[in-house]
């Protein structure tokens, strides 16, 4: 069973990497321009171990407590793992993210940024952060509007324990490639404007299993892939 699961995750990762490679080739970008973030929420540590064995080092977690437990479980791992928090963040959970993760993708208000900055331990490098944009203006989604980005970015840039790296978005599901592309291009335009102001900005986190090719064509530098690597998620726990 373990051997079969191992080969399955390794094969899935290989297929995802090949999809990334073919997507970047179509738009004449380099594979090195796109980071693969394996979204491991609801998945046991054993499956993460198998992904690590297949060369994957960057992992995204959506739930604070589950993510903290996994960070702790792999704290002594010899591989240089990088843990990204990619879920909605409530202020009462901000300390756990500040103390355990390397990245937070979901900053969408000043209060959260301030708390993360205050709670980031001095002994750790600054927390790498992205501003989440609600690009499809969905009531159910976290994130700010595009016209609010520059104001929040200016505040984050003043915070010594945070390092602004760019933007993140989760667009509403679209089946048509051209419509996916149009939405992603709005994000890319905002990202390019942010880079003009802040030279350290280099990360545009967008694209998941179903819309990755369009995201890469539009300019994504980090894709968040879960299902295509680990299979369907188990929410029964």
């Amino acid at each position: 069973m373990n051997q079969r699961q191992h080969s399955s995750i390794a094969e899935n990762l290989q297929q995802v990497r090949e999809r990334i490679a073919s997507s970047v080739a179509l738009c004449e970008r380099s594979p090195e321009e796109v980071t693969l973030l394996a979204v491991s929420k609801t998945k046991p540590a054993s499956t993460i171990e198998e992904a690590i064995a297949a060369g994957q080092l960057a992992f995204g977690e959506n739930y604070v407590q589950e993510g903290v437990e996994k960070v702790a479980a792999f704290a002594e791992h010899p591989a240089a793992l990088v843990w990204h928090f990619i879920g909605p963040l409530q202020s009462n959970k901000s300390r756990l993210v500040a103390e355990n993760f390397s990245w937070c993708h979901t900053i969408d208000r000043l209060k959260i940024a301030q708390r993360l900055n205050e709670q980031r331990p001095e002994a750790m490098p600054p927390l790498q952060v992205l501003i989440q944009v609600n690009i499809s203006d969905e009531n159910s989604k976290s994130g700010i509007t595009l016209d609010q980005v520059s104001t929040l970015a200016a505040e984050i840039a003043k915070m010594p324990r945070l390092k602004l790296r760019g933007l993140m978005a989760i667009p509403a599901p679209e089946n048509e490639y051209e419509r996916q592309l149009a939405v992603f291009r709005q994000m890319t335009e905002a990202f390019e404007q942010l880079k003009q102001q802040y030279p350290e900005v280099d990360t545009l986190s967008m694209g998941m299993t179903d819309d990755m090719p369009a995201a890469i064509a539009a300019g994504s530098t980090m894709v968040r892939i879960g299902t295509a690597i680990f299979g369907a998620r188990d929410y029964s726990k």
Side-chain angles (χ1 to χ4, degrees):
M1 174 67 186
N2 277 349
Q3 184 57 40
R4 201 165 73 238
Q5 192 180 31
H6 172 81
S7 62
S8 171
I9 288 177
E11 287 166 10
N12 290 349
L13 271 166
Q14 184 58 32
Q15 288 174 1
V16 170
R17 289 173 185 141
E18 287 170 2
R19 282 185 65 203
I20 291 172
S22 61
S23 295
V24 297
L26 282 172
C27 52
E28 298 182 340
R29 297 179 65 196
S30 160
E32 290 75 37
E33 293 178 41
V34 181
T35 298
L36 171 58
L37 185 62
V39 179
S40 43
K41 66 176 181 181
T42 80
K43 295 301 177 182
S46 59
T47 58
I48 296 174
E49 188 71 67
E50 298 183 20
I52 296 168
Q56 181 63 30
L57 299 177
F59 294 91
E61 289 287 331
N62 289 61
Y63 308 117
V64 175
Q65 198 60 51
E66 180 192 347
V68 167
E69 288 168 8
K70 288 177 183 173
V71 172
F74 287 93
E76 302 300 318
H77 200 283
L81 305 182
V82 183
W83 294 95
H84 298 240
F85 185 74
I86 61 173
L89 183 54
Q90 299 163 323
S91 55
N92 65 340
K93 300 277 182 71
S94 62
R95 181 176 295 278
L96 287 169
V97 171
E99 292 179 349
N100 290 278
F101 287 83
S102 295
W103 286 69
C104 180
H105 287 222
T106 50
I107 293 188
D108 61 356
R109 55 199 187 280
L110 182 58
K111 179 184 176 182
I112 288 290
Q114 288 170 330
R115 288 178 69 88
L116 289 170
N117 180 60
E118 290 162 8
Q119 295 165 343
R120 182 68 168 177
E122 286 287 335
M124 297 178 76
L127 182 66
Q128 313 295 301
V129 300
L130 303 177
I131 293 172
Q132 182 172 356
V133 178
N134 187 346
I135 192 64
S136 302
D137 197 23
E138 295 175 277
N139 291 334
S140 62
K141 291 262 178 75
S142 303
I144 61 175
T145 58
L146 282 173
D147 60 4
Q148 296 172 310
V149 168
S150 62
T151 303
L152 184 53
E155 293 297 326
I156 292 172
K158 300 173 190 172
M159 298 181 187
R161 306 303 302 147
L162 303 184
K163 184 175 180 180
L164 180 62
R165 295 289 294 274
L167 302 175
M168 181 272 242
I170 309 169
E174 283 283 1
N175 292 326
E176 291 180 27
Y177 176 87
E178 289 300 329
R179 291 174 69 172
Q180 292 174 353
L181 195 60
V183 173
F184 284 137
R185 280 182 171 151
Q186 293 179 58
M187 284 296 301
T188 305
E189 191 174 323
F191 174 60
E192 292 298 333
Q193 289 173 358
L194 198 62
K195 281 204 296 189
Q196 303 278 324
Q197 294 172 273
Y198 306 100
E200 291 181 331
V201 164
D202 59 2
T203 303
L204 181 55
S205 170
M206 62 185 193
M208 298 188 285
T209 296
D210 293 334
D211 57 13
M212 184 178 78
I216 289 173
S220 172
T221 72
M222 183 177 289
V223 292
R224 308 180 305 273
I225 308 296
T227 305
I229 296 171
F230 296 109
R233 295 183 185 112
D234 179 7
Y235 293 102
S236 63
K237 294 183 287 184

